[in-house]
Amino acid sequence: MSYIMQTNHLTKIIDGRELVKDVDIHVKEGEIYGFLGPNGAGKTTVMKMITNLWKPTEGSVWLFGERLTPTSYEVLKRMGSIIEFPCFYEHLSGKENLQLHSEYMGYYHPGSVDNALEMLGLEEAANKQVKRYSLGMKQRLGIARAILCKPELLVLDEPTNGLDPAGMKQIRELFKMLCTEYGITIILSSHILFEVEGIADTIGIIHHGNMMKEVSIKEISERNTAYIELAVETTQKAAYVLTDKLELNNFKIIDDHVIRIYDSRVTTKDVSKILTLNDVGINSISKKSESLEDYFLKITEEAAK
């Protein structure tokens, strides 16, 4: 299969410290790829190499079927990006900053600046100096600049930094629209799992600089594990009853008050009844499915062992 973006054994070493090692990423055209990892995992390092800001110590980056080199100017024109915090000419307005970007990129399409500002909800602030923008407004302006020239590929490093929950929701919906209606492929990094779960087609998990897993959201959903989540007054007594009375062993104690039961043979009614008969106080009991957060934690916890 051909990929719009691919990395092979991508490695970066600075001052003898290995930031990332042997990272292989495969991004299909027209998808949203969620690049997940805790802060410090190596996400930004990889993003900087993908956008040619940093050169790999070892390995390679391939964009649109071409190997990225220091002179891949035409290839990079087909990409929009935000890496870390976007920078602007603070004394100019948001609109003037976008107009300058259009000039720099040689992109002359009437109405494109106003359209980008409108898509990011910045019409009223268009003529305000950027130095008067809030952090969230600057982040929106950065996204507006990244999508301004209708790139084929968007590379976005923690794109919802500084946004409130309503703003995050709006940006997620914008990304889905850009992907489905404009055919733009999007790679976005995040440490906020729910930000990615609702929009990504594929996720890559990086941990301590190592690529742990690359898997489709569909695959995670298909092998999703259903479980009973039980909140009790004391897990010690509840665990004893589950083992002794129901002969269960496929359960996990999450903390002092929560147990997850993964045995499909038992129902919430069975569990509730046996615990009540044995004087175990139940605060709540419900059937749930494994989320992306559960999957992520399982992968990273296994790596730590």
Side-chain angles (χ1 to χ4, degrees):
M1 178 184 288
S2 60
Y3 299 98
I4 196 168
M5 197 287 293
Q6 181 175 350
T7 71
N8 296 319
H9 305 294
L10 206 57
T11 300
K12 185 65 177 178
I13 301 172
I14 295 180
D15 295 331
R17 181 172 167 240
E18 200 169 55
L19 302 183
V20 297
K21 180 181 180 182
D22 287 335
V23 172
D24 291 341
I25 295 176
H26 308 83
V27 181
K28 296 189 286 288
E29 184 175 359
E31 74 169 350
I32 297 178
Y33 186 101
F35 192 37
L36 299 176
N39 288 328
K43 300 187 300 297
T44 298
T45 298
V46 172
M47 294 295 217
K48 285 181 176 179
M49 289 188 281
I50 289 172
T51 52
N52 220 24
L53 295 174
W54 281 3
K55 305 300 180 286
T57 305
E58 295 177 19
S60 59
V61 177
W62 291 76
L63 293 171
F64 310 106
E66 296 182 27
R67 181 167 180 161
L68 192 64
T69 71
T71 58
S72 297
Y73 306 123
E74 293 304 313
V75 168
L76 291 171
K77 280 185 179 181
R78 299 164 69 182
M79 178 197 298
S81 65
I82 297 179
I83 305 298
E84 297 185 309
F85 293 101
C87 296
F88 303 98
Y89 294 103
E90 297 274 322
H91 65 289
L92 298 180
S93 69
K95 186 171 185 175
E96 288 169 334
N97 269 277
L98 295 193
Q99 288 170 336
L100 272 177
H101 184 69
S102 291
E103 290 281 341
Y104 171 75
M105 295 294 290
Y107 185 82
Y108 305 103
H109 285 254
S112 59
V113 169
D114 290 333
N115 184 51
L117 289 166
E118 183 181 348
M119 290 176 78
L120 273 300
L122 290 170
E123 311 100 302
E124 294 183 7
N127 296 311
K128 184 189 293 187
Q129 287 180 309
V130 171
K131 67 182 178 183
R132 303 189 185 279
Y133 278 25
S134 67
L135 175 61
M137 290 169 68
K138 288 181 179 179
Q139 197 70 13
R140 286 174 182 271
L141 187 62
I143 296 171
R145 184 172 62 190
I147 68 173
L148 177 62
C149 301
K150 297 295 186 293
E152 296 167 61
L153 175 66
L154 267 178
V155 180
L156 305 170
D157 184 29
E158 302 277 3
T160 59
N161 273 342
L163 299 182
D164 59 23
M168 292 172 69
K169 183 175 184 293
Q170 180 193 10
I171 296 304
R172 289 198 300 271
E173 290 172 352
L174 172 64
F175 291 158
K176 286 193 285 187
M177 183 273 288
L178 291 173
C179 187
T180 56
E181 294 185 23
Y182 290 88
I184 296 175
T185 305
I186 301 174
I187 308 169
L188 63 95
S189 74
S190 183
H191 65 280
I192 305 171
L193 302 184
F194 75 83
E195 178 183 358
V196 171
E197 187 168 17
I199 62 171
D201 301 292
T202 303
I203 61 163
I205 297 175
I206 189 169
H207 190 55
H208 294 313
N210 296 301
M211 197 70 172
M212 306 306 304
K213 196 77 175 179
E214 198 173 49
V215 62
S216 71
I217 291 290
K218 182 181 178 183
E219 186 178 339
I220 294 174
S221 178
E222 287 175 348
R223 66 186 186 194
N224 219 343
T225 304
Y227 60 88
I228 294 171
E229 185 161 285
L230 180 65
V232 293
E233 292 178 359
T234 168
T235 53
Q236 185 176 5
K237 185 174 181 180
Y240 172 78
V241 172
L242 293 174
T243 304
D244 188 62
K245 304 298 182 182
L246 285 180
E247 298 182 350
L248 296 179
N249 53 36
N250 192 10
F251 62 84
K252 182 178 181 181
I253 297 173
I254 304 302
D255 56 38
D256 291 340
H257 300 286
V258 177
I259 294 177
R260 288 180 182 172
I261 302 169
Y262 295 97
D263 196 318
S264 60
R265 298 170 300 167
V266 69
T267 66
T268 55
K269 185 178 179 180
D270 296 331
V271 173
S272 180
K273 181 179 179 180
I274 200 70
L275 292 179
T276 301
L277 289 173
N278 286 273
D279 299 321
V280 177
I282 303 173
N283 296 325
S284 67
I285 183 169
S286 59
K287 193 149 191 175
K288 295 187 176 183
S289 293
E290 189 176 57
S291 65
L292 177 57
E293 180 180 20
D294 297 321
Y295 183 81
F296 174 83
L297 291 173
K298 181 166 66 177
I299 295 294
T300 53
E301 284 172 3
E302 286 173 358
K305 291 178 182 178

